[in-house]
Amino acid sequence: WLVDQSDSYGKAYGGTLYIYEGSDLKGGDASSAAPTDLLDLGGPTATLCLEKTGTNPVRPHMLAFNVTHSHAVLTFVASGHVVVFEAATRTPVACIRTSAGPGGARQAHAAQPTPDDAYILVANQNGKRVDRIRTDYVTNTFGLDTSLDLANGTTPNGVPMEGPERPDNAPILVVPDSSSSLAFVTLRGGGLFVVDPTATPMRIL
């Protein structure tokens, strides 16, 4: 599954997903491979996002799969949308918008399902937050249920979350460990937080 971040033709939103047969990309003739499916994200995906959030999805960016590969999770970095697709049918089944941070800023730079398939963890880059989406892949039920502010307050050792030691806490990636009990958050200004993604609210360890 390859993401084209360009807008859909004639629109200021959307984009394209190109889906290839993996074996066609092996060997020395990968450039001749043709996609088996092409998804215009300015079509049903945008319609779903507009219905659920009131805004269109802009600039698809990073894509990941849940542990069983039954669903794909696509972030839209400019608008802050996270779209979940049924992988087999290529159908968008959920569109969630990330929470607003300072000045109303929000993005969805990258999202990663936890290995236990309980949550999707979202790097809300300009919102300077980690958002958690609860997941039920069997019933296609998804919803934003908590958010961790990375810019305000103090860490467990009493220093400011964002300050001289960490000048810019915009998260780039949120990577859960194999047990789903920890998540590692890389920061745009340098540094890293270790987070408990199972706590409500989530907390920095």
Side-chain angles (χ1 to χ4, degrees), residues 60 69 150 190:
H69 285 199
L150 301 177

Side-chain angles (χ1 to χ4, degrees), residues 1 3 14-17 19 38-46 48-49 57 60-66 68-76 81-96 113 120 137 140 142:
W1 292 44
V3 181
T16 308
L17 269 178
I19 302 174
L38 187 152
L39 303 186
D40 178 3
L41 301 172
T45 299
L48 177 65
C49 288
H61 194 59
M62 301 280 275
L63 183 124
F65 287 86
N66 68 325
T68 64
H69 285 199
S70 66
H71 290 71
V73 179
L74 177 65
T75 56
F76 286 79
H81 289 91
V82 178
V83 176
V84 183
F85 295 85
E86 280 188 341
T89 64
R90 314 338 191 184
T91 304
V93 293
C95 181
I96 299 110
I120 296 168
Y137 296 103
N140 283 332
F142 307 89

